[in-house]
Amino acid sequence: MTGNIKNMYDKCVTFIKNDSILIDAVVLFIVRVLYSFITFKLLNHTSYFPNVSYGVNLKSYLSLTIKDIIPLITYTAVMLFMLTRKYNVYFIKIFVSILFCLYYLPVNASYSLNQVTYVYMILTTIYTVLIIHLLSVDWKDIRAFLHLKNKFANNSRENTCCENTIVNKKKWLSIFFGALCITYIIFKIYYNGFTFNISISHDIVYSVRAQYATFLDNISGTLFAYVISLLVNLISFITPIYLLYSLVNHSVIGVIISVVTILSQYSIEAGKGMLFMVPIIVFIFILNKLNLLDFGSRLIYVGMLILIVISFCVVLIKGSSFIYTYIIRREMYLPARLNEVYYEFFSSNKKIHWSQNTFILQNIFSDVYAEGPLDIINRLYFNGNVVSPNTGMFAEAYMHFGIIGVMMYPILLNLLAQGCALTYTKIGKCISMFVAVKLTILLTNVPMVRTDFVLSAILSTVLIYFVCYVSQKKRGNYNKK
């Protein structure tokens, strides 16, 4: 029995390590077809809220199949373009892979599932191809300046997380992560004492959120409010990184502090997003232990296939799927659906040109609308039922600048990704893979130039880079002595 399990495991590892574009293409094609079928099966002629449709209104699976021919051809072309490009930095390769699966796949499927125009299909395809192209360009001069000279192939500096950081860097990063988390724990104690609420009950969750919203209203406009806002945004991005960093570096204290911080955040905000990160952290940690991180892209594709196949089988047996409802629908279908909604509105109305929903610039430019974009979309398309219909990527680009934004935002996204690659390559493949996943989830749900994204993802990355830089300087000064 043990021998059979070992043989099966060896075959799985061999399959994962098989560097074949054909295998990746077949896997991604199957994922795309099954995704459309499951979405049609579960969401066709159903409502998100009363009188708010999911937007899937097809007569039969045959009609879906007919409508899906051109989108599938487009999907296959973009998929092959993505798979045949060369990515010289590990973070970029993982980022492109997860972005293709979580973003482009459901957006492409929406061409057949929903009533969207071919103009929308063309624009979103151009937007995605530009992103892939820019991320795959070999920026030799830039990487040379940033000390990222093609380390992807020989892994001379991208060893596993447990080996790739010097003692000095570990110390400074641990101090930075730990100090930030302890500060948040102190705030938690100030806010609601030493009790921890880990209930996922609908009523309790919304009660906790309402209490926190009241607290924020009471301190609004004060210096304390700005400090808390900054702290909360940094914690939301850094805490899961700290947990994974502590696991791979065998820091028991770090694991305890980061876990307590996660529980503290849930007790204050009742946000399930942080809890959702924990299984991803554990999974990446296991991959590191099995020395499989080098094959991250294949693992992402196979992981998507496993999720889709399990959902497919469960749907056929039970008629519903927990995995689809709480993972695939939430992280793939809904962001893609919101992209359509934003395009539908802003294709026939004024663009907002960074005058609203934008860090700092919203205070400089005059408002185009009396309401914010979230309020407009909620009122017109969701009858006021969705308080924050957040989305990013194409929707954000088109909302601000239309077709110009479709051309401009891939450049901004590339700059963000290159900055992350520069920063997290210094820490290791574990952190690189996790941040690539987390960043993709954020980008599909939150505008890239919005205040909370800037103060969480972007500011956290800048601070982590600065800490790594300081640690190297300190070590350099020590060596001179």
Side-chain angles (χ1 to χ4, degrees), residues 300-318:
I300 290 168
Y301 305 148
V302 172
M304 287 295 302
L305 179 63
I306 292 172
L307 279 178
I308 290 289
V309 168
I310 292 174
S311 297
F312 177 76
C313 294
V314 173
V315 167
L316 291 181
I317 296 170
K318 296 177 59 179

Side-chain angles (χ1 to χ4, degrees), residues 35 168 371 430:
Y35 169 83
N168 200 48
E371 298 176 280
C430 272

